[in-house]
Amino acid sequence: MKRVSAVLVFIVAGLPHHARAADPVDILTHTPPRVHEGQSVVRVTAQTPRHVQTALALAESLWSEGAGVGAFDIQIHTDRIPVLLEAGLQADVRIPDLQAHADRAWAQVRAAERMLRDREPAPRGLGAHDEAWFENYKQLAQIDNYVDTLHAARPDLTTLEVIGQSLQNRPIRAITITGPDRPGNAAADRPVVLWNGCLHAREWVSPMTVTYIASRLIDDYDADPGVRDLVDHIRFVIVPMANPDGYLYSWTNNRYWRKNRRQNNASDFGVDLNRNWGFEWGGAGSSGNPSSDIYRGTDPFSEPETQVLRDLALSFGPDLAAHIDYHTFSQLILYPFGYADGVFAPEPDRTFFENLSNDMSDLILSYSGVFYDPMPSWQLYPAAGGATDWFYGAAGAKSLTLELRPASGGLAAFDPPPGTILPTARENYEAARFFAARTARPIAFTVPPVGTVQADEATEVEFMVAAGLQDLDPTSVAAFAAVGQGAAEPIPVSPSGPGRYTATLPPVPCGQSVSFFFSATTLGGATIDYPADGAFTADAVRTVFADDFSTDQGWTVGAPDDDATTGIWVRANPVGTSVGGVQVQPQ
Ligand code: 0X9
Ligand code: ZN
């Protein structure tokens, strides 16, 4: 025994200085402890506040976004379900065997990992963003390593900081993304947009999404003038992992762990980091019971994790423009306040939040067809001591809580298959850029990528313009285009809906490109160009042949001397495939 530990000590001491602690879990071989045996998830219907209390007292954890008179989902020991029924509650079993459910979710994570490891790594180009990295959930050290890679790839755009320590002394890190100093536009003078993930440990889609957004902002900087406009005028401060202790614990010990890892007493652990903030702390929807999943802690900001984020936010003073706290699940865009029923931000902020949330929801819907429901936080349920209330109410930042995929009502809840990560992250990259423009640029422009235009034809580009930090003169919206090396000329712009406009790019000869930009004037009289520097460009192409293979256009393949035995193109019906017994091809 002694010898073995001596060898271990030697190995640890022998690690190169820069090496990080390895992740404790190898996904391919690890079997999570079976702590959910004998547990179920049940949809209870409570008719009275007393019913609600009974259900919460018997529950291991609350799975719905909230609990009140009506229906909500709880995680519970299966043998306690009769107690619910005896107390007069209705109980529909949603997940009869939670351990089997967790095992299946883990099998999906393992399968995704095996596929990733079997695959040749795709070339990553010049940037550091790696789309494949987001095909599976990642552990704490992997997230740290990935963020290190981002910083190493673009030290000109990023700074990496340890902003403080978790309760168990793990570093909490922020990556700041902003363009270099420019004349009259020093990086330190730019407004701050702060995004954090994973206050709640089990919400694994959250840190993945936040890391993705950081990664794309960095990687798109060179090629996308819209991203460059944002990154050159805003300090993005991103904390992908706000609760490292809890997150680690959700990998090693308990997949459905929510809180941090504070030891409250002999047997109860964890403070809910979204009930511990010092704005209206202690009120509705938080608990003084240390065993509760919504335990608020002994005092406002009793936890190092909330202190660290608070101090980071305060360090920016009035430069802190906006904030998003990313959670899962239910697909919601929640705006202040959340601490009690019916409390709204005073005008004009109330209207600003309503418009912002509705427009973000519309943007995601048109991008991916997925609906995120916008509403004031309290309408979901009152919950005092939340991050967003403090960021808005105490720090003056335009702050939202985002509840990511999956939708509510399904069984996937906190552990959707790994394939959920990328679509969630991509739609939220769109929404996050839009949020930043609205909250931290004088005027918010949203222009879809154009890329190419058909040669010799006028091209319509539909774009959005809204007030940002300043009010907008809606009659001032204009666009300019230059063909080839020509000078920029105004081009027609017409309104096409609330906040929407259509610009018409002139015809461009094949092989040439068109560059274009937009402008609008604030009610104060300042004209803002978008992008502020440079322009969008699109190449003119001519389609010489197009075939969607639906109809026979009469072409043949195979030169007379072609002696290939496979790989010769032919137009034919695909081999039939059936999914779940249903023939899906050919159609
Ligand atoms: O309850 C929370 O902390 C958040 N939902 S989660 O399922 N991720 O735990 C939502 C907080 C939103 N704020 C209010 N409803 N007041
Ligand atoms: Zn949460």
Side-chain angles (χ1 to χ4, degrees):
M1 257 339 244
K2 255 186 190 148
R3 222 173 252 170
V4 171
S5 42
V7 169
L8 280 179
V9 167
F10 171 77
I11 291 171
V12 170
L15 279 175
H17 196 59
H18 59 270
R20 289 179 177 281
D23 274 306
V25 165
D26 178 359
I27 294 176
L28 295 190
T29 54
H30 176 70
T31 308
R34 306 180 64 79
V35 292
H36 303 298
E37 261 168 3
Q39 296 183 4
S40 306
V41 173
V42 172
R43 175 153 300 175
V44 292
T45 308
Q47 261 127 32
T48 62
R50 205 187 159 75
H51 278 170
V52 179
Q53 273 179 4
T54 307
L56 291 180
L58 289 167
E60 284 300 302
S61 179
L62 176 65
W63 275 42
S64 286
E65 309 85 43
V69 172
F72 53 90
D73 295 346
I74 55 172
Q75 178 185 336
I76 186 171
H77 281 282
T78 312
D79 58 13
R80 290 186 186 167
I81 297 174
V83 188
L84 286 172
L85 299 173
E86 277 156 30
L89 287 105
Q90 262 180 40
D92 294 321
V93 177
R94 307 259 303 155
I95 303 177
D97 181 346
L98 182 58
Q99 187 59 57
H101 173 90
D103 290 346
R104 278 193 294 275
W106 184 254
Q108 291 173 325
V109 172
R110 186 177 282 171
E113 188 70 14
R114 198 176 301 116
M115 283 195 294
L116 270 174
R117 290 195 197 175
D118 284 352
R119 198 190 316 154
E120 282 290 314
R124 282 171 69 167
L126 291 177
H129 173 71
D130 177 9
E131 199 83 351
W133 192 84
F134 297 89
E135 286 178 28
N136 203 4
Y137 297 107
K138 292 296 186 302
Q139 299 178 61
L140 197 56
Q142 290 175 301
I143 295 174
D144 277 346
N145 287 338
Y146 187 80
V147 172
D148 284 347
T149 315
L150 295 179
H151 172 56
R154 292 308 296 257
D156 56 329
L157 297 180
T158 61
T159 45
L160 204 51
E161 252 178 300
V162 174
I163 53 172
Q165 260 77 35
S166 68
L167 190 78
Q168 296 172 342
N169 289 318
R170 293 195 173 84
I172 298 177
R173 309 199 318 157
I175 180 162
T176 298
I177 304 169
T178 198
D181 283 334
R182 300 198 189 281
N185 173 16
D189 295 340
R190 297 171 188 161
V192 171
V193 170
L194 174 58
W195 290 322
N196 74 265
C198 219
L199 275 180
H200 288 148
R202 63 191 173 188
E203 298 171 8
W204 289 6
V205 175
S206 154
M208 297 302 293
T209 298
V210 176
T211 306
Y212 183 89
I213 294 170
S215 182
R216 286 288 304 273
L217 275 184
I218 295 167
D219 227 42
D220 291 350
Y221 179 83
D222 286 340
D224 185 333
V227 170
R228 195 156 61 244
D229 185 276
L230 291 174
V231 171
D232 278 345
H233 295 90
I234 295 172
R235 274 182 286 167
F236 290 97
V237 180
I238 300 176
V239 181
M241 178 51 61
N243 178 11
D245 301 348
Y247 187 68
L248 194 85
Y249 192 75
S250 73
W251 276 86
T252 54
N253 292 59
N254 180 343
R255 176 65 187 86
Y256 304 115
W257 189 255
R258 167 180 167 98
K259 303 183 282 182
N260 75 351
R261 289 298 298 161
R262 166 77 69 189
Q263 179 151 22
N264 300 319
N265 56 42
S267 56
D268 295 321
F269 287 80
V271 170
D272 184 350
L273 298 179
N274 209 25
R275 299 292 183 278
N276 189 241
W277 293 73
F279 184 85
E280 298 286 337
W281 178 87
S286 71
S287 171
N289 177 353
S291 71
S292 166
D293 244 358
I294 50 169
Y295 177 49
R296 61 178 87 103
T298 52
D299 298 283
F301 293 117
S302 56
E303 302 313 296
E305 293 85 358
T306 50
Q307 290 166 19
V308 164
L309 275 184
R310 172 198 62 190
D311 295 345
L312 174 72
L314 293 177
S315 72
F316 304 118
D319 289 342
L320 181 68
H323 163 257
I324 301 178
D325 178 23
Y326 285 91
H327 289 252
T328 68
F329 63 97
S330 291
Q331 294 169 199
L332 304 168
I333 301 174
L334 303 172
Y335 54 88
F337 285 103
Y339 65 86
D341 267 327
V343 278
F344 280 102
E347 293 290 7
D349 290 357
R350 174 177 172 167
T351 303
F352 177 88
F353 277 125
E354 274 168 14
N355 292 340
L356 171 73
S357 305
N358 289 338
D359 292 348
M360 281 172 77
S361 171
D362 285 350
L363 185 81
I364 296 178
L365 187 67
S366 60
Y367 177 79
S368 57
V370 170
F371 180 57
Y372 283 58
D373 205 354
M375 66 179 80
S377 295
W378 58 263
Q379 193 176 309
L380 178 64
Y381 50 84
T388 290
D389 277 5
W390 182 86
F391 269 90
Y392 174 64
K398 299 289 188 335
S399 178
L400 300 177
T401 305
L402 244 94
E403 297 280 359
L404 302 170
R405 294 200 204 184
S408 61
L411 296 182
F414 303 111
D415 43 18
T420 308
I421 300 165
L422 267 172
T424 309
R426 288 188 190 124
E427 73 204 6
N428 278 284
Y429 175 55
E430 302 296 313
R433 278 180 299 165
F434 177 80
F435 172 86
R438 267 289 175 90
T439 56
R441 297 289 291 130
I443 288 176
F445 290 86
T446 308
V447 178
V450 177
T452 58
V453 293
Q454 280 296 317
D456 304 320
E457 287 174 24
T459 305
E460 294 194 334
V461 178
E462 202 187 48
F463 62 102
M464 290 190 287
V465 186
L469 289 175
Q470 289 163 35
D471 287 330
L472 164 76
D473 173 0
T475 64
S476 70
V477 177
F480 303 83
V483 176
Q485 299 302 311
E489 308 274 0
I491 58 172
V493 170
S494 54
S496 52
R500 289 180 177 271
Y501 298 82
T502 301
T504 307
L505 298 176
V508 184
C510 191
Q512 291 203 30
S513 63
V514 57
S515 54
F516 52 99
F517 66 95
F518 304 85
S519 88
T521 305
T522 68
L523 285 185
T527 296
I528 308 293
D529 288 344
Y530 178 77
D533 310 298
F536 297 93
T537 57
D539 296 323
V541 296
R542 183 173 296 127
T543 306
V544 286
F545 180 72
D547 191 345
D548 67 0
F549 299 97
S550 293
T551 53
D552 185 354
Q553 298 200 24
W555 50 261
T556 54
V557 285
D561 56 350
D562 187 348
D563 57 1
T565 52
T566 62
I568 301 175
W569 282 73
V570 63
R571 190 183 159 275
N573 275 335
V575 176
T577 310
S578 81
V579 174
V582 179
Q583 187 79 4
V584 293
Q585 281 178 336
Q587 282 183 338

